[in-house]
Amino acid sequence: METERFEALIDAILAIILTIIVLEIPMAEFGTWQSLWEVRMDFIIYALSFLVIFNFWNYNNNLFSIVNKVDDKIIWSMGLSLFILSFLPYLTIFVAENFYSFVAHAFYGLDFLLTAIISILIAHALKNSDKGNIALQVALRSNKPIYSTIILMAIGYIIGYFFYPPAISICCLISIPVLWIVSKIQFM
């Protein structure tokens, strides 16, 4: 299968997920700074969810720019990944309403973590589906960026469980630039 229609589908699903997230942000009750302050956690977790979605889109957009073809394994793996991401609107609200709850952040982090793990499966399927694509083989030669995300999330879970539950979501946020940095370092 050609990749353009598949990429368009991914873009459409991510746009829908992001739209649902933004529509769930509650309106400030009054037009005051105090009212805005009361919904600050909703805005903070929305910003994190936006970055998660954007990072997923950016990674896949860059990756699929060098992919020539996709097969059933790639389609179903990406479908599973998008299914996991589709829980993000619910989890965004769950964290916003329970900002200091370990369970809320644990599920939010689990969504992020499962997406990272599935990305490893997608990378493996992509390498196997187009072994002659040198650019793709070079780009996916190492899973170090995704492993760094998984390690950072494990640290977040430990800190979140014992000390400060929002550390899990903070590690989600920190792992995004770490993913970019590790990706750049591996190609130097």
Side-chain angles (χ1 to χ4, degrees), residues 45-187:
I45 199 66
Y46 164 73
L48 175 58
S49 294
F50 178 86
L51 288 172
V52 168
I53 295 292
F54 181 77
N55 184 58
F56 185 84
W57 175 83
N58 185 45
Y59 177 79
N60 285 296
N61 186 49
N62 290 329
L63 180 61
F64 279 94
S65 69
I66 57 174
V67 171
N68 296 324
K69 59 184 176 180
V70 293
D71 61 15
D72 289 343
K73 288 180 184 176
I74 297 163
I75 291 170
W76 283 102
S77 298
M78 185 60 76
L80 179 60
S81 187
L82 290 168
F83 174 72
I84 301 287
L85 273 178
S86 73
F87 288 105
L88 211 52
Y90 174 78
L91 295 171
T92 300
I93 298 299
F94 189 42
V95 170
E97 291 180 358
N98 304 284
F99 196 75
Y100 295 101
S101 163
F102 172 76
V103 172
H105 286 280
F107 275 107
Y108 191 90
L110 182 62
D111 192 270
F112 195 84
L113 191 58
L114 288 174
T115 302
I117 292 168
I118 294 168
S119 293
I120 294 170
L121 298 174
I122 292 169
H124 182 69
L126 282 167
K127 287 192 297 188
N128 287 337
S129 74
D130 195 2
K131 293 181 180 184
N133 186 338
I134 302 301
L136 182 64
Q137 298 299 325
V138 169
L140 297 176
R141 72 175 176 243
S142 171
N143 288 319
K144 286 180 187 175
I146 296 173
Y147 290 144
S148 66
T149 296
I150 293 169
I151 291 167
L152 194 55
M153 290 304 301
I155 293 167
Y157 270 95
I158 292 167
I159 295 169
Y161 183 76
F162 290 108
F163 304 108
Y164 184 66
I168 299 167
S169 295
I170 292 168
C171 282
C172 289
L173 178 62
I174 293 170
S175 71
I176 293 170
V178 166
L179 180 74
W180 296 339
I181 291 166
V182 172
S183 294
K184 297 296 179 198
I185 290 172
Q186 87 175 15
F187 286 109

